[in-house]
Amino acid sequence: MKRRTLLRTAGALLPVLALPGCASYYYGDKAGGGGGGLMDLITPSTIERNHRAADALLLQAPLDPQHAVLVATLVNVDRLNESSRLGRIFSEQIGSRLVQRGLRVTELKLRENVAMQRGTGELLLSREVREVSRAHDAQAVVVGTYAVSTTTLFISLKIVNPVGNTVVAAHDYAMPVDENVRSLLAAR
């Protein structure tokens, strides 16, 4: 009986012990936690998934905390010049996580030399990555796409080296399409 209880306790602790922690070891855990006032827009599990995705990128790409990183708005994979409130808030959460991990993220919305279209955000096409990165002295740019099916939202993130547009890290993940996701997708 005691062995069964011990196995049950170990089984319950295993998922907790397996939580991602390597990124905080490498980059330092500057701040934890999630969203605060965003809770009425998206569930904590959505924020957590975006933070885990950013952590997964950091495990693949050795970025220098002394040099800036740019985060572009996630775009619809079928219409690369189009985003939604979902694409904008997801990119905000990914950028926030990079800052929490000790990296310098340049806020593009405050810069004059990045053209922004109302309702789309900071959309960086391949030809623009090098020019915008050079203007902001950025070592890397995080770009991403999303696609939605009836039940699942698929997200693909990449860290791109602005010199040559080489992908140095990539991470794909998915989440269920719930009412919050539908609402964010519908809003432009």
Side-chain angles (χ1 to χ4, degrees):
M1 188 68 161
K2 286 184 179 185
R3 183 175 185 198
R4 189 176 289 165
T5 304
L6 181 61
L7 288 174
R8 211 175 304 175
T9 303
L13 288 176
L14 189 58
V16 173
L17 296 173
L19 288 174
C22 296
S24 65
Y25 173 77
Y26 183 77
Y27 287 93
D29 195 21
K30 296 288 185 186
L38 297 175
M39 302 320 282
D40 57 335
L41 293 177
I42 49 181
T43 62
S45 62
T46 302
I47 295 169
E48 186 176 4
R49 288 173 193 208
N50 288 324
H51 284 188
R52 286 182 182 177
D55 290 345
L57 287 174
L58 293 177
L59 288 173
Q60 299 173 48
L63 298 178
D64 182 351
Q66 301 303 313
H67 295 284
V69 176
L70 303 177
V71 180
T73 299
L74 276 66
V75 295
N76 182 323
V77 73
D78 295 320
R79 294 180 293 278
L80 297 177
N81 62 343
E82 180 181 305
S83 190
S84 62
R85 182 179 289 163
L86 180 134
R88 290 187 298 277
I89 196 66
F90 278 27
S91 64
E92 291 286 334
Q93 293 168 2
I94 291 161
S96 294
R97 187 56 161 192
L98 297 179
V99 170
Q100 292 170 0
R101 294 298 186 204
L103 294 170
R104 286 183 34 213
V105 175
T106 300
E107 180 61 73
L108 293 175
K109 290 186 288 296
L110 300 178
R111 301 297 196 151
E112 294 175 10
N113 40 352
V114 175
M116 291 183 9
Q117 301 168 355
R118 184 174 181 210
T120 57
E122 306 81 32
L123 304 177
L124 296 179
L125 302 175
S126 304
R127 64 182 178 274
E128 300 169 321
V129 168
R130 187 171 183 183
E131 179 181 322
V132 172
S133 299
R134 191 177 315 153
H136 297 287
D137 192 30
Q139 66 178 317
V141 180
V142 178
V143 297
T145 57
Y146 62 86
V148 64
S149 73
T150 308
T151 60
T152 308
L153 176 70
F154 299 94
I155 302 105
S156 180
L157 298 178
K158 295 177 178 134
I159 294 180
V160 178
N161 181 332
V163 179
N165 292 344
T166 305
V167 176
V168 295
H171 182 70
D172 301 311
Y173 60 111
M175 62 184 66
V177 174
D178 60 13
E179 288 305 313
N180 289 320
V181 168
R182 278 189 200 89
S183 172
L184 291 169
L185 284 166
R188 297 287 165 208

